[in-house]
Amino acid sequence: MTDPRDIIVRPVISEKSYELIGDNRYTFEVVKSASKPQIADAVEEIFGVTVMKVNTMNVSGKPRRLRYAKGHTRAWKKAIVTLREGDSIEMFGGVQ
């Protein structure tokens, strides 16, 4: 089994993700090859909570331009994890 910290890359910090924390849903960037059960097991092991549901989505890279060079931002995978009622993750200084 792989280390759960290899599956969860980082928490996603945005206005929408802060709103979801009120509904007991937390957003993470995960490895593109990670499955929903792997993500749930990793969050449970790292934070000591019970995961009820995992929603994933692939975020495609957006086109960008720097002067005359065209390119794309990187593509990544996002997971929104719903926790059991009463569980929470202490992130960003206690925002809940």
Side-chain angles (χ1 to χ4, degrees), residues 16-84:
K16 186 170 184 178
S17 68
Y18 271 104
E19 286 181 23
L20 291 175
I21 290 175
D23 297 333
N24 221 18
R25 299 172 75 190
Y26 294 85
T27 309
F28 298 97
E29 178 182 344
V30 296
V31 176
K32 287 195 96 164
S33 61
S35 65
K36 290 182 180 185
Q38 289 174 328
I39 295 167
D41 292 341
V43 170
E44 287 178 350
E45 189 170 332
I46 292 171
F47 299 106
V49 295
T50 303
V51 174
M52 300 303 289
K53 186 165 73 168
V54 177
N55 296 87
T56 60
M57 59 204 77
N58 289 310
V59 181
S60 59
K62 296 179 182 176
R64 292 289 184 247
R65 196 182 95 182
L66 179 63
R67 286 199 166 230
Y68 306 111
K70 292 183 180 179
H72 285 82
T73 59
R74 66 185 183 87
W76 53 288
K77 188 171 188 175
K78 177 168 40 173
I80 300 175
V81 179
T82 305
L83 302 182
R84 182 180 63 193

